[in-house]
Amino acid sequence: MAEKIILTGDRPTGKLHLGHYVGSLRERVRLQDSGEYAKTFIMIADAQALTDNADNPEKVRQNIIEVALDYLSVGIDPAKSTIFIQSQVPELSELTQYYMNLVTVARLQRNPTVKNEIKMRNFEADVPVGFFCYPISQASDITAFKATTVPVGEDQLPMLEQTREIVRSFNRIYADVLVEPQALLPEGEACLRLPGTDGKAKMSKSLGNCIYLSDTADDIKGKIRSMYTDPGHIHLEDPGKVEGNTVFTYLDAFSTPEDFKRYWNDYESLDELKAHYMRGGLGDVKVKRFLSEILEAALEPIRARRAAYERDIAGVYDILKRGSEVAEQAAAATLADVKHAMKIDYFDDTELIADQAQRYGK
């Protein structure tokens, strides 16, 4: 059986927040430590971030270190996971070029993830070619490391299916050298997507509704105090709704039975707390205070690790450099296999050279 390999990553467009933590980072640490995977590659996708930030490259450049610090602070271990910068592995661009010949414009236009992203960014007919072709670049990122497993959210499944199509086309036309990856979906509804503090469906820096992994204790308390709850829960005695209530969505994602023993032993479980809130007689202030204590306990060790790495930024860049070198070696090996399958490794093809010599030697 082939070894199991993970490829995952993030675009460096800002500091990472609780949405990233619940949606992917926490699971990456678990997978890294599980012993189930021979290799884990975690990519800082700066080249992909430039496809819609070409006019502001400094934003991408400055945020590479922010993402790296967040990775290390949550427990991603460079001794177990290879953290690398996408642009520092040039083989990825060459693989993308070859894969472009296996995908039609019509197929890219039908990709629902691409369509939604184009609409969200108001690109319309002015979509950058690099952004439009991102599914092909992503196929390069995944296949370069012969990844068997790609942790994704449901909204990214069409992108992964595009990769699988490219793999099947390549292997059929040339040779069976690429690995067809499988999706690894998050478990539990609370882990699919954490809403912003204002109740909006998505955390966004531009909306100012994020709780960042690097936020101070005071930042967290302030953001939770202003967090969206149930607008109909005005008076203490009013019955409250937990569905669509951001505070309870966060409690779904973070609270454990131990938290009730430690911080609020009036209740034995979150279900019991929800029941009280729904029948009335429980104010939002107390529930928010409970959430603050839980999040502070979760984020304090992350902040402490980040502070330690911040004191050695040169060391962090060295981790990224060494990881990028490891990633390039792996990608170079795959590229060599691809070029051999395509029979464009001309200088290594002794049979071709001998045939041509015989042909022209007549």
Side-chain angles (χ1 to χ4, degrees):
M1 182 180 291
E3 60 183 7
K4 295 170 70 175
I5 298 171
I6 284 180
L7 184 282
T8 186
D10 296 281
R11 290 158 42 98
T13 54
K15 291 182 176 182
L16 302 183
H17 50 62
L18 283 185
H20 295 112
Y21 184 69
V22 168
S24 60
L25 296 177
R26 185 166 59 180
E27 179 66 0
R28 287 179 200 171
V29 175
R30 188 192 71 78
L31 293 171
Q32 146 194 288
D33 295 339
S34 69
E36 296 178 31
Y37 297 89
K39 298 173 186 173
T40 299
F41 291 94
I42 302 180
M43 179 177 71
I44 300 178
D46 63 325
Q48 199 278 318
L50 286 168
T51 63
D52 58 332
N53 287 281
D55 59 344
N56 189 11
E58 194 62 20
K59 172 186 175 183
V60 176
R61 173 180 160 87
Q62 293 296 330
N63 280 308
I64 285 174
I65 192 66
E66 297 290 355
V67 172
L69 287 167
D70 284 331
Y71 281 169
L72 296 167
S73 69
V74 299
I76 291 174
D77 184 351
K80 298 177 181 178
S81 298
T82 299
I83 308 171
F84 69 98
I85 302 175
Q86 184 182 28
S87 65
Q88 302 308 296
V89 183
E91 290 81 1
L92 301 178
S93 296
E94 189 171 348
L95 285 171
T96 300
Q97 180 182 351
Y98 301 142
Y99 295 168
M100 281 181 174
N101 300 319
L102 303 175
V103 183
T104 66
V105 170
R107 176 64 184 90
L108 287 174
Q109 288 175 326
R110 290 198 307 272
N111 188 309
T113 305
V114 174
K115 288 166 67 174
N116 290 339
E117 293 283 346
I118 288 172
K119 183 178 180 181
M120 186 175 72
R121 288 167 172 78
N122 297 315
F123 279 148
E124 297 177 353
D126 295 324
V127 55
V129 173
F131 188 88
F132 184 65
C133 294
Y134 172 57
I136 305 173
S137 172
Q138 187 181 63
S140 168
D141 299 334
I142 294 167
T143 59
F145 305 102
K146 301 198 171 175
T148 59
T149 308
V150 183
V152 292
E154 287 185 343
D155 59 331
Q156 290 295 311
L157 286 176
M159 302 288 267
L160 189 61
E161 183 55 34
Q162 187 93 71
T163 296
R164 290 160 59 85
E165 289 176 12
I166 289 171
V167 168
R168 290 194 289 266
S169 294
F170 185 94
N171 288 349
R172 175 176 50 83
I173 295 168
Y174 299 110
D176 192 11
V177 298
L178 297 180
V179 174
E180 190 170 332
Q182 301 296 320
L184 181 64
L185 291 168
E187 295 182 5
E189 188 175 343
C191 296
L192 294 179
R193 174 158 288 179
L194 202 64
T197 55
D198 55 1
K200 297 252 172 48
K202 187 176 181 180
M203 282 195 179
S204 166
K205 184 177 180 180
S206 61
L207 294 175
N209 64 357
C210 302
I211 294 177
Y212 294 99
L213 297 175
S214 53
D215 276 349
T216 66
D218 287 341
D219 288 336
I220 294 167
K221 288 177 183 175
K223 290 178 179 181
I224 292 175
R225 274 198 301 269
S226 62
M227 189 175 277
Y228 179 85
T229 56
D230 172 13
H233 187 245
I234 299 170
H235 305 292
L236 181 67
E237 64 275 11
D238 292 338
K241 294 179 182 177
V242 298
E243 190 173 339
N245 186 322
T246 306
V247 175
F248 281 97
T249 303
Y250 278 57
L251 287 173
D252 281 330
F254 285 98
S255 69
T256 66
E258 289 71 30
D259 291 324
F260 285 91
K261 295 175 185 175
R262 188 178 299 119
Y263 305 119
W264 206 357
N265 58 16
D266 291 354
Y267 305 93
E268 291 187 359
S269 68
L270 182 56
D271 286 340
E272 193 177 316
L273 175 62
K274 287 180 177 179
H276 188 177
Y277 189 81
M278 287 189 290
R279 68 175 178 263
L282 178 60
D284 289 322
V285 172
K286 286 186 176 181
V287 183
K288 288 180 175 181
R289 187 182 303 129
F290 178 51
L291 176 60
S292 290
E293 290 173 317
I294 291 172
L295 288 186
E296 175 56 20
L299 293 180
E300 193 282 327
I302 292 174
R303 273 201 308 270
R305 282 193 294 267
R306 195 182 211 275
Y309 280 110
E310 285 175 347
R311 291 192 288 271
D312 184 19
I313 292 298
V316 175
Y317 275 107
D318 189 56
I319 288 170
L320 296 176
K321 181 175 185 292
R322 285 186 279 114
S324 298
E325 289 168 350
V326 170
E328 185 175 8
Q329 288 176 357
T334 300
L335 179 61
D337 290 343
V338 164
K339 294 177 81 168
H340 181 70
M342 296 175 70
K343 296 186 177 180
I344 58 174
D345 56 341
Y346 305 110
F347 306 132
D348 296 324
D349 193 339
T350 55
E351 184 178 340
L352 171 69
I353 294 170
D355 286 347
Q356 296 294 348
Q358 184 178 14
R359 174 188 173 192
Y360 287 98
K362 291 180 179 179

